[in-house]
Amino acid sequence: MFSTSSGATATTALRNPRRRQRTGSDDSVRQLPKRLKRTGLTSETFKPLQITSANGELFSSEATPSINGFARNTRSHSPQDGKSKSQSLAIRNIGGKKLQRENRGRKGDGSVELTKNDTYSVTRLATTPAQLQSHHSSVKWHGELAPGMGYAVATTQTEALVWRYKQGANTTDSSKPLIIRLLYASQDVNQSLPLALLVPSSPEPGLLIVTPTSGKVTYWETLSSAASVDLSRQKQQAVQGTIPGLGSGERITKIIEAEPQGFLVTMSSGKIAHLSIVDPQGKASISAHVLRNTNAPAGGIFGSLKNVFGGGEWLKDIAAVKAGNSVHRGQRECIIGTTRGVLQMWELNWNGAHSLKYEVDAKQKLLDSLQETGTFPHDSENQYFSVLDFTFLPTIATGQQLTRTGHRLATRLLVLTVISSANDARYNLHVVEVANGTIDVPVVHPITCYTTPTSPESSFKPTLLVPEQGQTAYVIFEKSVVLVSLEEIPDSPDSQLQAETSKTPDPFQDVIDFCKDKGYRVVGCGVDNPEKGYAGSACTVMVQGYGLIKVNVAPLEEGVTFSDRATITAETKLEQAVFYGSQQSLLDFSGRSEIQFAAEDVEDAALRISRSITSSSSKHLSTATPSMEQHLQRRAAALSGLIKNLRKHYQPISQSVRWELLWEAEKMAAAMAIWRCYSDSFAAKPKEEKVLLYELVECISEKSKTENQPDDHETDPVRHWLVHDVWRLQTLLPWATKALILLYEESVEDNMPMSPAYRARLIDEAHYIHLAALETAYGFRQDNAALYGLDENTMINGLLTENYHGMPEIWTSTAFICEAVEKLAEYSQEFVIDLDSHNSSDEEGSSPPQQLFEKIAQGNARLVDISCKTHIERFRLLQASNNAEIRNQGQKLQRVSDRSRKQLLRGLVNIGLYSQAIKLGEKYEDMEALAEVLESEIQTSREELANNVVASEETDEVNAKIARCQGYVDKFFDKYGASWANAFFARFVAQGRISQLLVHGPKQREHLTSYLRSHPECAPFSWINEVTVERDFATAADDLMRAQKEADTVWARKIQLSMSKLATLAAVTNQQRDDDQASAMVQDIDRQVEVLNAQEQLYDYLKPTMRRALNDTPAKVDVVMEQYFKRFVKAKVALRSAMKITVRKIVEEQVLSVEDLIDTISLMDEDGLDPDSEFAVRRFLRAMKLVRLSSFETGEVARKELLEKIVWRRCIIQDDWPKINRTEMKDDMQVEAETGATALFKTLSEGFRSGFWDDNPPPEPSSLHGAGTTVESLRTSLRYEIASDNALELIAKDLSVEDGVLETCIRGGRLEQWWKGIIDAARTSARSEADRMGDEKSRQREAEQEFRDQMRRDDETAWGVNQSDDGRMGLDEEGDVVMEM
């Protein structure tokens, strides 16, 4: 095949083809020994795969190159016989039958789906040997794939592993590897790993091994011979040789298959050798030749350092070598590309001839294309351009790499380049068209999703793969796989518009990263040939430490546009992390800095994914599962993975979104708890009875659930709801209460009422549906708040204590849930009480078991707890609203909630759970409820003991109960202080048992005093505590003053005023109040007592009249009104109505205001009174004094003036002054008698006699005009400050009538002229009366003195002079006997 002058050192020399071949040591591959030791191979190890080629038939002898530069053809073992049929070495059609298409979605082959989205999927193949799967191993591997044959090979320094990684239909042991010992093994781990290549052959592949440092080549024609366990036989069956020309330090870096005659070997120096493994006779033989430019000038060879790349030395910058078309039989083209952008087209011949067709420097064209697309860096300093790899692209016309364009051959390449700096790398894919030394770069695909520089220490160079469809490029890095769409945007009006507006979407790109913290790295890769009719593409990657993975890019689905695929969404990335991140250890879903999403997009995507999980609408979740428990757990795990990924890689996430995600996770946890309750209920129920959850799901409105599809054989409503409607859990819970009540009501309507046992079981199920959901939700919230970035310190048992502002409605406390939980708690309490009191049903066995009865009671206590939580959560949320109306609703709901809680805690006591009631009251710090529960328990127990209703053997238990309750009372004084004391004492005050508080223990003393002082309504009793306990007489006096204001009766007010006066004097004595304060207080008390004395005098005067009536208040009122208020107020509607009310108060001995008392005294008819009675004589003067006293109390001058004028006016108009003024035919005695009989004269005389007018001189009659006759004048008094104008107008009208009578008296009676004379006469009368009274009092005093003197003389006669014999007894100045101590 190649001449011996080539320098190849083959073990098999060329022979005369006419001469019979002899069998030497190296020819043993043709005649194997009769007996071979077992190699561990099975009969099916090398059975060909049942898959078709790309075009669905066998390959032709005119092989075409793979678009990734690896030749794809069959090999003829008799090259002299050109007519012999070639066979497919990679794929074999047994029996000529058309092979089945592989089921790509099938997972029965043991493969594991690592990730999947609408664009691509990554699958772990089950055929990886265990040796490659350990990422802890320090052994390094090098791998190669033979996709056409379905085999893979991996090498270490000492051995090679070969296995079939593509499974055929009849393969049963395909993953069992062949372990082949290498002939030239090295123990130096730092040396380059041997290079291995599987050679297509029939009936099984051959194996080619090249040692990089020595150039030694080993070839076995079959894997069977390579895997021989006999070392000598293995070596004997191998064909060996050496690649010439390796210099010191030079090594082989790559082997490329380049049929029809051999392989291309790349060396680290930049040299390329053509390696052949058969001779011209078709016998296995190793020969190799370094490519030389035979067209170079004389004296130059291809191996010379000058002619290969036009330079003076070999360049170590070979980027890639690719085998191209087989243009003619026995010939093949190859392209060599350098990192500097130089492309060389070579033509190889099977006989060893080779020539350089042309060379193109593409660097500038590549850089220009980057500038045209705007991807060239602006700062070009410290930026380095390099070509990393290239591959062939199919043409649109034929799908082949080479096509005739005009009169020249054009080659379409996809070139991977990088512009790198120390910390950054910009990768690009260039579509390059090369034809006869010319180059064009029509398209550039910038890789924007991956900018990680390649590591100099990496043993794997970036590799570019493009499947035959040419739609997707795979860029394989050592720890990542980059997918780049090569699809062109179809012409359409939309695409043209986008192009004009520069809004054309970038092609689809994405990165599949491997976990950095493990030793995963790519050691080999290859393109998978697609099946016939499949428009997608795929590649297989060998990952050391994990195994083989397959990356499959799906074709565009119907209805999906290029723009749709061009978008990498946050939802897609999150879904991959959520559903696949926890199921495998290879892929890293943490995201890359090159792929960023807006915060709003991430949050929206997170919410959509969360909802898709709770509704099972995600394509990653199944909707039919044999284990509902596992199904729910998987969904819960997905929700957990979602928040963990968000918190780790997509910060910050808004608080509102985190809350919504937490709520969805709560519902999933609650759904698991509900399912367990359902399973328990289903297992425990009698066969003929229903399960509540089943019934309530059926009851839910169709609008509030996903409807079952009976046509699709969906017959289980419970499982269907748990699969599709967990996100509507807040709708399910209220229906648990509704369904329970509806079922019972329907049974009553049907005259088939439920038995108590059945009803009890349904109530118990309703309990635990609510409890399972809500208790689990609140517990989950507390336990996972930190995971969701929420402050768990602001929560108590899952209930927020603050930070409700801006939150949406919380699902655990919707209005319907709050109502349903409370209603169910009340309903079950009523059921327990009713059943306990009646022990109902006549049917034997119809009563619920005691265990169930107790379970319902205990469940009710937990339900009350949940009811309290939901109400608190709801009213706190409402109160945090910015809307005033909603805040008011929150305040109202809080009051309703407080009442509801007290009622439910009272219900717990009624069903015998007072301990639970106390615990809940303590938990929610409901002091009023605690006080009610404890006080009622203590009181009830004491009454039972007192009434002897407790059996003797239960007495100790009842006493112990009282002691426990009292212990709680004392404990709460220490724990809660004033808040507890206020509630506890208020309970006694409300029941009128405040006197019991005054007998208190030492723990209550401080709190009781504080409580009494802070509650003015306790003043009638608090003074007792101040006097007897605190010894604070000043505070006691103040309490009595406050108490007297609330006293209804005159006698009670007088007593309290008197006691306040005593307490004030005691306070002075104990230096608790100074003299000035005490004096002012005593004067105020005296004034108030004087007012009360006036009312008592009025009552005493009216009492004889009231006795004429029956013992009936209305009758007494009528008698008094008829006797004393008939004439003067008869025509005065307002005054008469007011007087009737006032008289009723007098009859009932209620305290009158000063104004009412003044009106009553001054409005009485004169002719109804006894004219000689002291009351009649002094009534107007008493009214004047009351006016004066009222002014002292309020300090209101306008009020005093108004009242004085009204009283004077009424005093004057009591008599007929025009009649008195007519003095004709009257002597002085008669005129004096008529004048002296008037109310005015009597009032003036009494005033002068008492000296009252000294400070309050009588006013002129004319000054009394208009007093109170207008609304404005009445408004001057605080008495009428809040009265309506209509009411004041009626009063002013009545007072105007009085004013008219006064005018008559002044004008018709000449009162102005009479006035001075009447005053003088009254003063003279008062003086005469005073003189007479003075003489009488003098005579009385003289008589009293004479009596005392006589008594002294009598005592002295009886006892001796001034003292007794012992000197200890004598008489005082008054004549009384005294003892001297």
Side-chain angles (χ1 to χ4, degrees):
M1 182 175 67
F2 293 101
S3 65
T4 56
S5 62
S6 65
T9 57
T11 60
T12 305
L14 294 177
R15 296 175 175 82
N16 189 336
R18 295 182 180 180
R19 184 178 175 181
R20 180 183 176 187
Q21 303 290 328
R22 288 184 296 177
T23 302
S25 62
D26 293 333
D27 298 336
S28 60
V29 68
R30 288 300 174 195
Q31 296 182 5
L32 298 177
K34 294 182 179 181
R35 293 189 178 185
L36 293 176
K37 293 185 178 181
R38 295 183 179 272
T39 63
L41 305 179
T42 68
S43 60
E44 298 183 359
T45 300
F46 302 109
K47 186 171 291 185
L49 292 174
Q50 295 187 10
I51 56 177
T52 63
S53 65
N55 55 8
E57 57 187 10
L58 299 179
F59 295 134
S60 66
S61 59
E62 294 293 327
T64 58
S66 161
I67 52 179
N68 292 287
F70 299 97
R72 186 190 66 185
N73 77 318
T74 60
R75 184 189 311 278
S76 173
H77 285 271
S78 301
Q80 298 104 328
D81 186 6
K83 298 181 180 180
S84 64
K85 292 185 178 180
S86 62
Q87 296 179 336
S88 171
L89 301 181
I91 301 171
R92 188 176 181 185
N93 193 341
I94 301 177
K97 296 181 180 179
K98 189 174 182 179
L99 303 180
Q100 286 185 335
R101 175 181 174 178
E102 181 185 8
N103 184 357
R104 307 184 72 89
R106 178 168 54 91
K107 295 296 182 292
D109 57 1
S111 61
V112 179
E113 195 173 71
L114 303 182
T115 187
K116 183 179 182 180
N117 56 36
D118 293 337
T119 302
Y120 64 87
S121 63
V122 180
T123 306
R124 178 183 186 178
L125 302 182
T127 54
T128 305
Q131 293 90 325
L132 285 175
Q133 296 181 18
S134 175
H135 64 269
H136 299 291
S137 175
S138 60
V139 178
K140 293 183 179 180
W141 294 85
H142 173 78
E144 291 289 345
L145 300 175
M149 294 179 285
Y151 282 88
V153 59
T155 59
T156 66
Q157 293 287 1
T158 60
E159 63 184 13
L161 266 68
V162 181
W163 72 98
R164 175 179 289 169
Y165 73 89
K166 284 188 178 181
Q167 294 185 352
N170 298 323
T171 302
T172 59
D173 194 25
S174 60
S175 61
K176 185 175 181 180
L178 297 177
I179 302 177
I180 302 172
R181 292 181 298 276
L182 302 183
L183 298 183
Y184 304 104
S186 173
Q187 301 301 322
D188 186 356
V189 296
N190 295 320
Q191 284 192 4
S192 299
L193 293 174
L195 304 178
L197 203 65
L198 291 167
V199 181
S201 181
S202 178
E204 58 183 88
L207 178 62
L208 178 68
I209 303 291
V210 177
T211 305
T213 54
S214 63
K216 292 182 178 180
V217 181
T218 305
Y219 171 59
W220 289 278
E221 289 189 286
T222 64
L223 292 176
S224 300
S225 58
S228 175
V229 296
D230 189 327
L231 294 179
S232 60
R233 290 186 181 279
Q234 181 194 30
K235 185 174 182 180
Q236 186 181 30
Q237 294 171 0
V239 180
Q240 303 181 51
T242 303
I243 297 175
L246 280 178
S248 176
E250 189 177 8
R251 59 186 175 84
I252 296 171
T253 58
K254 187 73 175 176
I255 305 176
I256 305 297
E257 186 179 1
E259 290 299 325
Q261 294 298 328
F263 308 86
L264 293 173
V265 179
T266 304
M267 305 179 197
S268 59
S269 63
K271 293 185 293 186
I272 308 295
H274 186 194
L275 172 67
S276 179
I277 57 174
V278 295
D279 60 15
Q281 288 76 32
K283 186 178 180 181
S285 176
I286 302 297
S287 63
H289 302 272
V290 175
L291 297 186
R292 305 174 186 275
N293 185 1
T294 57
N295 297 328
I301 60 174
F302 181 76
S304 88
L305 302 179
K306 182 177 181 180
N307 295 325
V308 177
F309 298 109
E313 58 178 313
W314 284 99
L315 301 178
K316 299 180 180 180
D317 63 350
I318 296 296
V321 177
K322 304 294 181 181
N325 277 354
S326 178
V327 182
H328 303 290
R329 183 173 181 80
Q331 293 182 348
R332 183 173 297 280
E333 294 178 339
C334 76
I335 296 181
I336 301 173
T338 71
T339 58
R340 299 179 183 179
V342 175
L343 298 175
Q344 290 186 340
M345 176 69 76
W346 288 78
E347 187 174 282
L348 307 179
N349 196 287
W350 66 273
N351 61 9
H354 49 265
S355 63
L356 175 64
K357 296 180 64 177
Y358 56 81
E359 177 181 298
V360 180
D361 189 347
K363 178 177 180 180
Q364 192 59 45
K365 285 282 189 179
L366 295 173
L367 292 176
D368 292 344
S369 67
L370 295 179
Q371 290 181 337
E372 292 175 2
T373 57
T375 57
F376 191 80
H378 298 290
D379 183 12
S380 59
E381 293 186 11
N382 300 322
Q383 301 282 339
Y384 300 95
F385 173 83
S386 178
V387 174
L388 299 178
D389 196 10
F390 69 89
T391 187
F392 293 101
L393 281 177
T395 61
I396 300 175
T398 65
Q400 297 179 352
Q401 287 76 9
L402 300 180
T403 183
R404 190 170 300 278
T405 306
H407 299 287
R408 61 180 181 175
L409 293 176
T411 303
R412 297 181 72 243
L413 304 176
L414 187 65
V415 181
L416 173 64
T417 67
V418 63
I419 298 178
S420 59
S421 61
N423 301 315
D424 185 64
R426 302 292 178 179
Y427 299 94
N428 297 275
L429 293 177
H430 306 254
V431 176
V432 176
E433 294 180 354
V434 183
N436 295 331
T438 63
I439 186 170
D440 187 25
V441 185
V443 180
V444 177
H445 297 283
I447 299 177
T448 58
C449 63
Y450 187 87
T451 59
T452 303
T454 57
S455 172
E457 292 79 17
S458 175
S459 59
F460 183 83
K461 292 178 60 178
T463 301
L464 177 62
L465 302 176
V466 178
E468 288 187 357
Q469 292 82 351
Q471 297 174 347
T472 305
Y474 297 83
V475 184
I476 315 297
F477 294 91
E478 187 176 40
K479 290 183 177 293
S480 301
V481 176
V482 178
L483 308 180
V484 181
S485 173
L486 303 179
E487 294 174 314
E488 297 182 0
I489 303 176
D491 286 335
S492 66
D494 291 339
S495 63
Q496 293 177 4
L497 182 61
Q498 290 175 343
E500 293 174 359
T501 58
S502 301
K503 294 183 179 180
T504 304
D506 294 330
F508 171 82
Q509 297 182 15
D510 201 1
V511 183
I512 302 170
D513 282 315
F514 303 152
C515 291
K516 307 296 188 300
D517 57 346
K518 296 182 174 65
Y520 300 135
R521 65 184 188 90
V522 176
V523 295
C525 58
V527 171
D528 284 351
N529 295 321
E531 302 172 14
K532 183 178 181 180
Y534 181 69
S537 58
C539 77
T540 302
V541 180
M542 185 184 300
V543 182
Q544 180 173 343
Y546 193 79
L548 292 177
I549 63 171
K550 182 177 182 180
V551 183
N552 182 75
V553 177
L556 282 176
E557 297 180 0
E558 185 177 354
V560 178
T561 64
F562 175 83
S563 300
D564 295 334
R565 171 165 285 190
T567 304
I568 301 176
T569 64
E571 185 172 359
T572 298
K573 285 296 183 183
L574 283 173
E575 280 185 331
Q576 289 178 287
V578 167
F579 293 104
Y580 298 101
S582 62
Q583 299 178 10
Q584 47 81 38
S585 60
L586 174 66
L587 303 185
D588 180 7
F589 296 104
S590 61
R592 301 188 62 86
S593 60
E594 299 91 341
I595 303 176
Q596 296 293 327
F597 305 102
E600 296 81 3
D601 295 338
V602 173
E603 292 179 354
D604 291 343
L607 293 176
R608 287 194 298 272
I609 293 172
S610 179
R611 179 56 54 83
S612 72
I613 295 171
T614 54
S615 63
S616 295
S617 58
S618 171
K619 58 181 174 294
H620 300 286
L621 294 172
S622 63
T623 57
T625 174
S627 173
M628 180 56 63
E629 181 79 14
Q630 293 180 3
H631 176 74
L632 294 172
Q633 287 176 353
R634 185 188 177 197
R635 290 160 67 189
L639 291 173
S640 177
L642 173 61
I643 187 60
K644 289 177 181 177
N645 192 267
L646 286 171
R647 294 288 313 285
K648 186 175 182 180
H649 304 297
Y650 295 95
Q651 292 278 35
I653 302 297
S654 67
Q655 180 170 299
S656 61
V657 171
R658 282 181 277 129
W659 269 115
E660 292 193 43
L661 294 175
L662 174 59
W663 293 335
E664 294 288 287
E666 290 171 6
K667 293 177 183 179
M668 188 56 61
M672 288 191 287
I674 290 175
W675 171 253
R676 287 190 285 269
C677 288
Y678 172 75
S679 299
D680 295 342
S681 299
F682 192 84
K685 79 173 186 69
K687 292 183 178 180
E688 68 278 1
E689 293 183 359
K690 302 175 181 178
V691 178
L692 182 62
L693 183 60
Y694 186 96
E695 295 298 322
L696 74 89
V697 171
E698 289 290 325
C699 290
I700 296 176
S701 169
E702 295 180 359
K703 296 180 180 179
S704 301
K705 67 180 178 182
T706 304
E707 194 63 26
N708 241 355
Q709 300 297 327
D711 295 341
D712 296 335
H713 306 286
E714 294 180 347
T715 58
D716 189 340
V718 175
R719 282 182 171 83
H720 187 271
W721 187 92
L722 289 170
V723 168
H724 297 286
D725 294 311
V726 169
W727 62 280
R728 291 169 167 163
L729 182 57
Q730 67 273 20
T731 304
L732 174 81
L733 295 181
W735 273 101
T737 303
K738 291 181 183 179
L740 172 66
I741 297 174
L742 285 174
L743 287 173
Y744 178 71
E745 291 177 349
E746 288 177 358
S747 69
V748 174
E749 291 176 0
D750 296 340
N751 293 322
M752 297 178 64
M754 293 180 183
S755 67
Y758 181 27
R759 189 179 174 197
R761 192 178 62 76
L762 291 180
I763 291 175
D764 179 61
E765 288 184 32
H767 271 189
Y768 285 91
I769 288 174
H770 283 89
L771 294 175
L774 296 175
E775 283 184 344
T776 301
Y778 282 115
F780 185 93
R781 187 179 302 168
Q782 183 69 49
D783 296 340
N784 293 274
L787 175 62
Y788 285 79
L790 304 169
D791 187 3
E792 70 271 24
N793 295 323
T794 62
M795 292 184 190
I796 299 177
N797 298 321
L799 184 64
L800 268 180
T801 58
E802 57 186 20
N803 299 333
Y804 283 90
H805 183 75
M807 290 181 63
E809 185 178 43
I810 305 174
W811 77 272
T812 50
S813 56
T814 65
F816 292 115
I817 285 182
C818 290
E819 179 184 0
V821 176
E822 179 185 354
K823 190 170 184 179
L824 179 59
E826 293 174 349
Y827 185 82
S828 61
Q829 286 178 357
E830 293 172 359
F831 171 77
V832 172
I833 293 172
D834 180 68
L835 192 63
D836 188 43
S837 60
H838 294 89
N839 202 7
S840 63
S841 187
D842 296 330
E843 299 179 12
E844 183 178 356
S846 62
S847 296
Q850 183 64 24
Q851 184 179 4
L852 178 58
F853 188 82
E854 294 175 356
K855 185 181 178 185
I856 291 175
Q858 295 298 328
N860 185 265
R862 293 165 58 189
L863 200 64
V864 171
D865 183 18
I866 290 296
S867 178
C868 295
K869 273 189 177 182
T870 56
H871 279 84
I872 291 173
E873 188 173 71
R874 182 160 186 81
F875 72 63
R876 283 178 179 173
L877 178 65
L878 296 177
Q879 291 171 4
S881 173
N882 293 326
N883 188 299
E885 183 177 351
I886 296 178
R887 288 198 302 272
N888 292 335
Q889 293 177 8
Q891 297 292 342
K892 182 179 179 181
L893 180 61
Q894 183 174 7
R895 293 190 292 270
V896 172
S897 173
D898 291 342
R899 291 195 297 269
S900 171
R901 181 171 57 245
K902 292 177 179 59
Q903 180 180 349
L904 291 175
L905 294 180
R906 194 180 303 118
L908 288 177
V909 175
N910 294 337
I911 63 176
L913 300 179
Y914 86 95
S915 297
Q916 286 85 338
I918 292 173
K919 290 179 181 178
L920 289 176
E922 187 176 2
K923 179 178 181 179
Y924 294 103
E925 298 185 356
D926 191 335
M927 301 297 107
E928 293 183 12
L930 280 174
E932 180 179 348
V933 170
L934 289 172
E935 192 277 330
S936 63
E937 284 297 307
I938 294 173
Q939 189 73 11
T940 302
S941 299
R942 286 175 176 169
E943 290 177 357
E944 290 175 351
L945 291 174
N947 297 330
N948 296 322
V949 297
V950 179
S952 58
E953 62 272 13
E954 297 179 355
T955 302
D956 292 340
E957 182 180 348
V958 174
N959 285 324
K961 181 179 180 181
I962 294 174
R964 285 196 302 271
C965 291
Q966 190 60 51
Y968 278 119
V969 171
D970 295 339
K971 169 189 171 183
F972 293 159
F973 273 111
D974 293 333
K975 183 175 182 179
Y976 298 114
S979 60
W980 162 249
N982 291 343
F984 184 70
F985 297 145
R987 175 76 179 170
F988 284 80
V989 172
Q991 293 183 340
R993 296 188 293 116
I994 194 171
S995 59
Q996 297 180 17
L997 291 177
L998 301 179
V999 186
H1000 51 67
K1003 288 184 177 294
Q1004 301 180 20
R1005 173 177 173 176
E1006 177 184 352
H1007 296 295
L1008 178 61
T1009 299
S1010 177
Y1011 174 81
L1012 294 175
R1013 288 178 177 177
S1014 60
H1015 290 75
E1017 67 273 13
C1018 297
F1021 306 94
S1022 62
W1023 68 271
I1024 301 175
N1025 182 70
E1026 299 293 345
V1027 172
T1028 60
V1029 178
E1030 303 297 333
R1031 308 295 292 175
D1032 188 343
F1033 299 102
T1035 304
D1038 294 338
D1039 287 342
L1040 287 165
M1041 287 299 292
R1042 286 194 296 269
Q1044 62 86 22
K1045 294 179 181 179
E1046 305 299 326
D1048 293 333
T1049 61
V1050 175
W1051 68 268
R1053 181 169 289 190
K1054 283 187 68 176
I1055 290 174
Q1056 289 171 338
L1057 285 170
S1058 301
M1059 295 180 68
S1060 178
K1061 184 175 181 179
L1062 289 174
T1064 301
L1065 297 176
V1068 174
T1069 303
N1070 289 274
Q1071 298 181 349
Q1072 295 173 353
R1073 182 159 286 169
D1074 58 46
D1075 293 341
D1076 293 339
Q1077 289 179 333
S1079 176
M1081 190 169 182
V1082 169
Q1083 290 178 12
D1084 182 50
I1085 292 173
D1086 290 341
R1087 284 194 292 271
Q1088 295 190 54
V1089 170
E1090 188 172 351
V1091 174
L1092 293 174
N1093 288 337
Q1095 183 172 344
E1096 281 188 330
Q1097 291 171 4
L1098 174 61
Y1099 180 82
D1100 291 341
Y1101 185 79
L1102 298 177
K1103 186 183 293 185
T1105 304
M1106 289 187 287
R1107 288 175 182 167
R1108 299 202 303 264
L1110 298 173
N1111 191 18
D1112 180 63
T1113 298
K1116 291 179 180 180
V1117 172
D1118 291 341
V1119 170
V1120 173
M1121 290 294 294
E1122 183 66 23
Q1123 177 72 25
Y1124 300 106
F1125 302 96
K1126 183 177 181 181
R1127 178 183 61 83
F1128 199 77
V1129 297
K1130 182 177 182 181
K1132 302 168 184 173
V1133 178
L1135 291 178
R1136 181 174 178 82
S1137 176
M1139 285 314 305
K1140 193 166 185 180
I1141 297 174
T1142 302
V1143 169
R1144 184 180 184 89
K1145 291 181 179 180
I1146 295 172
V1147 170
E1148 295 176 348
E1149 297 186 72
Q1150 295 183 22
V1151 178
L1152 300 180
S1153 66
V1154 177
E1155 291 87 350
D1156 289 341
L1157 185 57
I1158 292 172
D1159 281 344
T1160 303
I1161 293 174
S1162 61
L1163 288 174
M1164 297 176 72
D1165 296 334
E1166 188 72 20
D1167 51 3
L1169 300 173
D1170 180 3
D1172 298 328
S1173 65
E1174 182 186 4
F1175 179 81
V1177 173
R1178 299 176 61 85
R1179 67 178 181 121
F1180 282 104
L1181 180 61
R1182 185 171 286 115
M1184 297 293 181
K1185 290 182 178 180
L1186 291 174
V1187 170
R1188 186 178 181 185
L1189 292 173
S1190 68
S1191 66
F1192 276 112
E1193 182 179 352
T1194 64
E1196 187 184 359
V1197 177
R1199 178 190 188 196
K1200 175 178 177 293
E1201 291 179 353
L1202 178 62
L1203 288 174
E1204 280 185 341
K1205 288 181 179 181
I1206 291 175
V1207 171
W1208 274 113
R1209 185 171 61 197
R1210 289 173 180 171
C1211 178
I1212 292 172
I1213 65 176
Q1214 288 293 319
D1215 300 288
D1216 189 356
W1217 285 100
K1219 181 180 179 182
I1220 296 172
N1221 181 56
R1222 292 194 291 271
T1223 57
E1224 63 274 14
M1225 304 300 294
K1226 297 179 183 177
D1227 56 13
D1228 287 346
M1229 185 178 295
Q1230 184 179 357
V1231 173
E1232 288 178 0
E1234 289 181 355
T1235 304
T1238 62
L1240 176 61
F1241 186 86
K1242 295 175 183 178
T1243 301
L1244 289 171
S1245 297
E1246 289 296 323
F1248 284 123
R1249 187 178 297 115
S1250 62
F1252 184 76
W1253 306 130
D1254 295 344
D1255 298 327
N1256 299 276
E1260 294 290 334
S1262 59
S1263 67
L1264 307 177
H1265 274 307
T1269 57
T1270 63
V1271 173
E1272 290 74 15
S1273 63
L1274 290 175
R1275 291 280 188 201
T1276 60
S1277 173
L1278 291 176
R1279 179 187 184 190
Y1280 302 114
E1281 185 177 23
I1282 61 174
S1284 65
D1285 289 342
N1286 292 336
L1288 292 182
E1289 286 175 359
L1290 293 176
I1291 296 174
K1293 183 178 179 181
D1294 290 348
L1295 294 179
S1296 297
V1297 174
E1298 294 181 3
D1299 205 54
V1301 177
L1302 174 64
E1303 181 66 21
T1304 302
C1305 293
I1306 292 174
R1307 291 182 178 276
R1310 294 192 309 134
L1311 190 58
E1312 289 286 345
Q1313 287 75 21
W1314 283 87
W1315 186 253
K1316 191 174 184 307
I1318 294 173
I1319 291 177
D1320 291 340
R1323 185 182 291 113
T1324 300
S1325 174
R1327 287 175 181 174
S1328 299
E1329 182 65 23
D1331 292 342
R1332 185 181 64 78
M1333 293 296 296
D1335 293 343
E1336 183 177 347
K1337 287 183 178 181
S1338 178
R1339 287 193 298 272
Q1340 184 178 355
R1341 284 194 298 271
E1342 289 176 358
E1344 291 176 354
Q1345 184 63 38
E1346 179 62 27
F1347 176 77
R1348 284 194 296 271
D1349 291 344
Q1350 184 61 43
M1351 290 294 294
R1352 183 185 296 276
R1353 286 192 295 272
D1354 293 342
D1355 290 339
E1356 289 176 353
T1357 302
W1359 298 94
V1361 181
N1362 293 331
Q1363 63 180 11
S1364 63
D1365 294 339
D1366 59 5
R1368 292 181 298 168
M1369 184 180 294
L1371 301 174
D1372 62 8
E1373 295 179 352
E1374 301 295 332
D1376 295 326
V1377 178
V1378 296
M1379 297 291 293
E1380 295 183 1
M1381 303 301 293

